Amino acid sequence: METVTYWTSVGSPVGPLLLTAAPTGELTSLSVTGQKGGRAVLDDWRRDPGPFREAERQLAAYFAGELKEFRLAMSAVGTPFREKVWAALDDVPYGATASYGAIAARIGASRPAVRAVGGAIGANPLLIVRPCHRVIGSDGSLTGYAGGLERKVRLLTHEGALRP
């Protein structure tokens, strides 16, 4: 059975967003231009804005400062460890940050596993809606972000976690 991937592009204050969805309508990825490990449209994908209406509405509300928590059907496939890390990202509230060590502790990972937690966070396929931008270094530094540090700063400033 062939699986269709639906896609659309949405404008945002951090640049164009590429969204993909499964035939069942769950959001499967949200990428930004130039993202490390980001997605690119494939020939067999089907452009259709229909499955993305709610995601577009919520993203617009988020960037307008009217939405603090996304409530979207999402389906990101990864190893069980990555999925556990990604689920922990959902617990970092709007306007707050958490360290990689705190995320590791939240999932019960050992201190040496912090590097693996960082790798899982870097592989998050759902930027913005699964808030990996809220994860910072233990010393408060704005360490890596697959979408680029400039976008991370813009998102954290937008949420009030950083002062302009």
Side-chain angles (χ1 to χ4, degrees), residues 34-49:
Q35 175 182 331
K36 180 182 172 192
R39 303 203 67 185
V41 177
L42 300 178
D43 290 340
D44 62 340
W45 288 7
R46 189 175 303 159
R47 185 173 196 150
D48 180 356

Side-chain angles (χ1 to χ4, degrees), residues 12 14-20 27-39 55 58-59 62-63 70 72 74 76 86 89-90 118-135 144-149 151-152 155 159:
S12 85
V14 294
L17 307 177
L18 172 65
L19 285 71
T20 62
L27 193 63
T28 55
S29 73
L30 190 157
S31 303
V32 295
T33 306
Q35 175 182 331
K36 180 182 172 192
R39 303 203 67 185
Q58 288 189 34
L59 284 162
Y62 168 80
F63 285 115
F70 291 96
L72 295 168
M74 299 185 288
W86 296 339
L89 293 175
D90 293 335
I121 291 169
N124 170 27
L126 290 159
L127 293 190
I128 304 170
V129 297
R130 178 151 282 150
C132 54
H133 59 277
R134 296 178 188 154
V135 182
Y145 180 60
L149 282 179
R151 283 190 185 103
K152 183 172 190 158
L155 292 167
E159 294 183 4

Side-chain angles (χ1 to χ4, degrees), residues 70-161:
F70 291 96
R71 297 196 185 281
L72 295 168
M74 299 185 288
S75 175
V77 179
T79 65
F81 178 78
R82 282 187 173 180
E83 290 181 6
K84 200 175 193 182
V85 171
W86 296 339
L89 293 175
D90 293 335
D91 294 333
V92 182
Y94 181 96
T97 57
S99 70
Y100 291 90
I103 297 293
R106 196 171 285 177
I107 65 165
S110 64
R111 189 76 189 132
V114 170
R115 185 175 298 268
V117 167
I121 291 169
N124 170 27
L126 290 159
L127 293 190
I128 304 170
V129 297
R130 178 151 282 150
C132 54
H133 59 277
R134 296 178 188 154
V135 182
I136 61 172
S138 59
D139 61 358
S141 62
L142 299 182
T143 57
Y145 180 60
L149 282 179
E150 183 180 306
R151 283 190 185 103
K152 183 172 190 158
V153 167
R154 288 190 71 178
L155 292 167
L156 290 174
T157 301
H158 168 74
E159 294 183 4

